[in-house]
C-alpha cells in the first residue's frame, strides 16, 4: 500500500447533527481532496485504473473528494477520512485473478449419471408394483 498522504489537502467545515453548541461554533467536519492525475506515487496505468474504478467519486477537475463528520473532533475526522481514502484507492488498484473455466471430465460426468441411475432404481424399487 502506497502512502500518498502528503498529496492530500484538507478542508474543514461545520458538521451537522448532534453535538449541541459545539456543532455551531467548531469546524469539525473534514474533507480530504486528492488530485489523482498529478500524483507522483502512482504510474500512469495505476492512475487510469484508479480513475476508472472511482469515477463516481472523482469530479470533473480530476479531484477525489471524501468527507467525514463522524467524530466530534477535527483530528479524529481527519484520521478517519485519510484511512478511508487510502483503503478506497488500495481496493481500486486490486486486480482480480482471471478465472480459467474448466469442464468436468467425461469419466466424472459418467460417474455422476451412473450414481443418479442407481439412486433412481433404488427409489423405484420401493414403490409397490401391480
Amino acid at each position: 500500500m502506497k502512502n500518498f498522504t502528503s498529496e492530500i489537502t484538507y478542508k474543514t467545515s461545520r458538521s451537522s447533527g448532534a453535538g449541541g453548541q459545539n456543532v455551531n461554533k467548531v469546524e469539525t467536519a473534514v474533507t480530504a481532496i486528492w488530485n489523482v492525475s498529478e500524483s507522483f506515487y502512482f504510474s500512469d496505468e495505476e492512475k487510469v485504473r484508479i480513475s476508472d474504478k472511482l469515477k463516481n467519486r472523482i469530479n470533473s477537475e480530476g479531484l477525489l473528494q471524501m468527507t467525514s463528520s463522524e467524530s466530534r473532533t477535527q483530528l479524529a475526522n481527519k484520521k478517519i477520512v485519510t484511512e478511508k481514502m487510502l483503503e478506497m484507492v488500495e481496493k481500486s488498484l486490486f486486480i482480480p485473478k482471471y478465472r480459467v473455466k474448466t469442464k468436468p471430465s467425461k469419466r466424472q460426468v459418467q460417474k455422476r449419471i451412473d450414481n443418479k441411475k442407481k439412486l433412481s432404481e433404488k427409489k423405484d424399487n420401493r414403490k409397490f408394483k401391480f
Side-chain angles (χ1 to χ4, degrees):
M1 181 163 116
K2 295 181 182 179
N3 190 356
F4 58 93
T5 52
S6 59
E7 295 180 345
I8 300 173
T9 55
Y10 299 96
K11 273 187 184 176
T12 58
S13 59
R14 291 189 179 149
S15 289
S16 61
Q21 197 175 17
N22 188 56
V23 170
N24 300 329
K25 64 181 184 177
V26 182
E27 294 192 346
T28 55
V30 178
T31 303
I33 304 166
W34 178 53
N35 193 333
V36 179
S37 59
E38 293 182 6
S39 177
F40 296 111
Y41 291 97
F42 297 100
S43 67
D44 291 336
E45 296 165 10
E46 290 173 327
K47 289 177 193 176
V48 168
R49 184 167 203 83
I50 292 168
S51 297
D52 287 345
K53 293 276 185 164
L54 302 176
K55 63 184 169 196
N56 294 338
R57 292 190 170 265
I58 296 174
N59 63 16
S60 59
E61 290 117 38
L63 301 175
L64 175 65
Q65 290 185 326
M66 295 183 75
T67 304
S68 174
S69 59
E70 295 172 23
S71 176
R72 287 186 59 162
T73 63
Q74 194 180 96
L75 194 63
N77 281 330
K78 186 176 179 181
K79 185 178 179 184
I80 291 167
V81 78
T82 303
E83 288 173 0
K84 279 184 181 178
M85 188 174 279
L86 289 171
E87 184 180 321
M88 191 174 291
V89 170
E90 183 182 358
K91 282 183 181 178
S92 70
L93 290 172
F94 176 75
I95 302 170
K97 276 188 177 178
Y98 177 73
R99 182 186 176 276
V100 179
K101 294 180 181 177
T102 57
K103 283 177 127 179
S105 67
K106 287 182 179 179
R107 185 172 181 226
Q108 285 176 324
V109 171
Q110 190 61 44
K111 187 178 177 184
R112 182 179 60 85
I113 291 171
D114 291 343
N115 283 336
K116 286 175 78 169
K117 282 181 183 175
K118 283 180 186 176
L119 191 63
S120 174
E121 286 174 12
K122 185 195 300 183
K123 289 183 175 184
D124 203 32
N125 289 337
R126 293 177 189 160
K127 292 179 182 176
F128 182 75
K129 295 179 184 174
F130 291 100

